[in-house]
Amino acid sequence: MFGIVVRVSREQREQQPPGERILLDLPGNEEQTLLERESAALADSGAPTSARRYTALVGSALLLVGVALAAANMRPAVTSLASVLGDIRSSLGQTATWASLLTTVPTLCFGLAGIAAPFIARRIGLARGIGLALLVLSVGLTVRVVDGPTAVLAGTFLACGAIAICNVLVPVVVKESFPNRIGMATGVYTSVMAAGGALGSALTPRLAEATGGWRLPLATWALLALAALCVWSIAARHDKATPPAAAQATPDREGSLLRSPLAWVITLFFAMQALIAYVVMGWLPEVFIGAGLDIATAGLLLSVVMVVGVPMSLLTGPLIARSRTQSGWALGLGGLAAIGILGLLIAPLWAPLLWTLTLGTGMAVFPLALTLISLRTRSASETARLSAMAQSLGYLIAATGPFLFGVLHDITGDWDVSLLMILGVLTVQTVLGVIAGRPRYV
């Protein structure tokens, strides 16, 4: 069989979907040889070195398990805290303003720590970067239960800072190591994340009742972080034989993403969905308790919101990635979330399960946000840059949500104005999602 040389114009390359490249009909290992030559030519041509910045991890089944276990740790630190927030306030003698600050910590440090994630990956690699984050996460989850209110805040900040590193770097692993299965890998990642959040909110109150306190149940989640670290240490292996395929096929364009209107749309879309998600995870039990439900039932309803995200992420992840446009997904999921918020506002006890189901389904917009970061970029390095921009700036913006939600409740004495604020944010999110869903690149 003879090789066929195909010349591809820059315009043709830019029109290719992310994660794909024009393949050449070459026998044996000649395709690999050609890729190596192309990478060398890229280096010699003076092309941006950011295109060759990351070394891929070997995309094995065990790596996917490692990604899933890492994802399982990205919600319990928040949802477990929210489910016993009232008990923590009572035992430590803290005000609602302190609780508002505590619920703001996750999104605040997600934004601040997320800025450092690309630097950490460049310095020590994706494998060690995520492994270090899991280690710090286990330490933070332990620190926050050893003392008083300062330790709770400090430990939560440390744990959520570690989660922020994973938030930014795991989508890069998905892009690099599973380039032809981005939708599937994103679906697994986000569904397990939702399952971890559901377990955090459902099990922690019951463990608190069984042990007679909130400290031991919160500390228990450090064991999950250590388990993920053990699996990740075995599964995450850098592929030193070849440069990343995505970087070889499509070098980064020069220039800051801060000058890209689409990058800002995706960043603001990510910010709006994160703001809503962390308000729900931080305050939904308190909303139901204020309406008359007991703490165990309120925690269970939060777990329902998170559990719904498991099948939704598994089903929608691949479908979103295969869709020609993602605008319809943004519109439909936003509408479902609006039904849940309106139900909480008008009649929270009329059908609380229905409101949590529709709200949980609408929060499947998170895998849409992650998928857009991969679909709207040409290379893994560009994915990391957009992921860092969207998540660092997005979470900093989102950090205002949980705080304002609690402060508005303190000012008005009920949850109506707070829920109206979330309804307005949801409207902005939907509009931005429709714009970001149109197929093009940053």
Side-chain angles (χ1 to χ4, degrees):
M1 181 183 296
F2 296 95
I4 301 175
V5 178
V6 179
R7 294 191 179 275
V8 184
S9 69
R10 180 176 180 180
E11 290 75 13
Q12 287 173 311
R13 281 184 179 270
E14 291 186 353
Q15 290 172 359
Q16 287 182 268
E20 295 183 7
R21 55 186 172 84
I22 296 178
L23 298 177
L24 307 183
D25 185 12
L26 296 173
N29 294 324
E30 291 183 29
E31 182 181 340
Q32 179 62 43
T33 302
L34 180 63
L35 288 175
E36 291 171 356
R37 291 175 181 171
E38 185 178 316
S39 180
L42 177 63
D44 294 338
S45 67
T49 55
S50 60
R52 293 170 282 109
R53 187 174 291 165
Y54 298 100
T55 303
L57 301 180
V58 178
S60 63
L62 187 58
L63 179 66
L64 189 59
V65 174
V67 167
L69 280 175
N73 282 276
M74 294 186 195
R75 287 291 185 267
V78 179
T79 59
S80 62
L81 192 70
S83 65
V84 291
L85 185 58
D87 290 348
I88 296 173
R89 283 179 55 196
S90 298
S91 67
L92 298 179
Q94 297 301 304
T95 64
T97 301
W98 179 87
S100 297
L101 178 61
L102 183 60
T103 58
T104 303
V105 164
T107 48
L108 181 62
C109 63
F110 284 176
L112 294 175
I115 298 172
F119 173 78
I120 291 172
R122 290 196 299 271
R123 294 290 295 178
I124 64 177
L126 289 172
R128 290 179 180 175
I130 294 175
L132 177 63
L134 291 171
L135 177 61
V136 173
L137 172 60
S138 64
V139 172
L141 292 175
T142 304
V143 166
R144 71 178 181 177
V145 302
V146 299
D147 202 356
T150 302
V152 174
L153 286 170
T156 300
F157 191 93
L158 192 63
C160 292
I163 294 172
I165 303 300
C166 293
N167 279 341
V168 174
L169 296 185
V170 170
V172 181
V173 174
V174 170
K175 174 86 171 184
E176 282 274 73
S177 303
F178 306 98
N180 298 318
R181 294 176 291 170
I182 289 175
M184 179 276 295
T186 301
V188 169
Y189 163 57
T190 54
S191 63
V192 174
M193 185 186 299
L199 289 174
S201 60
L203 295 182
T204 305
R206 283 155 180 75
L207 290 173
E209 290 178 358
T211 60
W214 53 271
R215 296 182 186 272
L216 182 59
L218 288 185
T220 302
W221 295 104
L223 298 177
L224 181 60
L226 290 174
L229 176 60
C230 291
V231 174
W232 184 261
S233 299
I234 300 171
R237 294 179 293 111
H238 283 284
D239 185 359
K240 298 180 180 179
T242 60
Q248 299 157 350
T250 312
D252 263 355
R253 295 189 306 169
E254 296 184 17
S256 171
L257 290 179
L258 294 175
R259 292 195 290 269
S260 168
L262 179 57
W264 276 106
V265 169
I266 292 173
T267 296
L268 293 175
F269 174 63
F270 191 95
M272 297 301 102
Q273 66 82 29
L275 188 154
I276 294 170
Y278 282 91
V279 164
V280 170
M281 286 187 286
W283 287 108
L284 184 63
E286 293 295 305
V287 172
F288 278 123
I289 290 170
L293 293 180
D294 61 273
I295 184 173
T297 303
L300 184 61
L301 287 171
L302 176 59
S303 71
V304 169
V305 172
M306 308 307 298
V307 165
V308 171
V310 177
M312 285 299 299
S313 296
L314 284 173
L315 292 173
T316 61
L319 293 175
I320 288 170
R322 294 192 193 109
S323 300
R324 188 185 65 83
T325 174
Q326 288 73 41
S327 298
W329 288 99
L331 186 62
L333 292 172
L336 286 170
I339 293 173
I341 297 297
L342 285 171
L344 291 173
L345 179 63
I346 297 171
L349 297 183
W350 180 72
L353 183 59
L354 176 61
W355 310 144
T356 53
L357 287 173
T358 53
L359 183 58
T361 304
M363 285 174 61
V365 74
F366 177 64
L368 170 60
L370 289 180
T371 303
L372 284 174
I373 291 174
S374 293
L375 292 180
R376 298 295 174 262
T377 51
R378 295 177 175 84
S379 70
S381 179
E382 205 167 57
T383 302
R385 290 165 56 207
L386 181 58
S387 181
M389 175 180 172
Q391 298 202 47
S392 59
L393 296 179
Y395 280 126
L396 285 175
I397 295 170
T400 61
F403 183 77
L404 286 176
F405 195 85
V407 168
L408 288 173
H409 173 262
D410 283 349
I411 294 173
T412 62
D414 58 37
W415 298 106
D416 290 354
V417 176
S418 299
L419 290 169
L420 284 172
M421 178 194 78
I422 296 304
L423 199 59
V425 172
L426 182 60
T427 302
V428 175
Q429 171 202 291
T430 303
V431 172
L432 292 169
V434 170
I435 297 171
R438 298 168 186 166
R440 59 203 186 282
Y441 294 106
V442 295

